[in-house]
Each structure stands twice: as structure tokens, then as C-alpha cells.
Amino acid sequence: IPEGYNLAQIARRLQKAGICDENAFIEAINTADFGLKFQQHVADDPLKILKMEGYAFPDTYQFKKDADPTEVARVFLTHFDSQIT
């Protein structure tokens, strides 16, 4: 995932690669609680369309085709957590 991609671009790229549905990924990354400490500090902001925008860490990832979107979201946010803590 290239640096600078927003969540919508990441989701489209995942769908295009056959990894998961883009809407399901967006839903999962914005609503699932993975128990990561930083998630406690991400507040709902009515001015922010995507709650977790900026938390999907850009890097090279390997996923299986038709992966569970929640697990894909978990990988992104867990990697972000490992990089910032």
C-alpha cells in the first residue's frame, strides 16, 4: 500500500486485487474493536467521514484472495499499533 493512500484508495486496491470487498473493509476498519490501545483514543468526529482515516499503515502486505475484511482491517491496524508504540 503506497504511502499517502487514503482508506477509500486502500479499499479499492484491496477489491481490485481480489482480497476483499471494499465496502466491507471500510465498515470493518471503522467499526471493529481489535482491543488495540490507540483505538481507545480515536474519537468519533462528525466532521470526519471515515473514523480510522490515517491509521492504515502504508507497507507491503500479503493477503489471501477472498480474505475476511475484518481480518484484513486487523492486520492494518495491528501493524500501525506496532509502529507507533
Side-chain angles (χ1 to χ4, degrees):
I1 301 299
E3 189 173 328
Y5 265 34
N6 62 38
L7 278 180
Q9 291 170 309
I10 292 169
R12 276 192 296 275
R13 187 159 209 164
L14 291 170
Q15 181 167 303
K16 187 175 180 180
I19 295 167
C20 64
D21 176 75
E22 66 182 292
N23 293 322
F25 171 76
I26 291 288
E27 177 72 19
I29 201 164
N30 282 300
T31 61
D33 180 3
F34 299 113
L36 301 169
K37 288 183 182 182
F38 83 88
Q39 281 186 291
Q40 301 169 35
H41 305 288
V42 179
D44 287 323
D45 182 346
L47 299 176
K48 196 172 182 182
I49 296 170
L50 300 173
K51 178 180 178 180
M52 298 307 288
E53 185 69 69
Y55 295 97
F57 198 83
D59 208 340
T60 301
Y61 296 92
Q62 292 186 5
F63 297 107
K64 293 182 179 183
K65 298 276 186 181
D66 299 317
D68 179 345
T70 302
E71 288 306 310
V72 174
R74 179 189 309 276
V75 169
F76 275 96
L77 297 183
T78 301
H79 188 55
F80 175 84
D81 188 57
S82 73
Q83 296 297 313
I84 64 162
T85 56

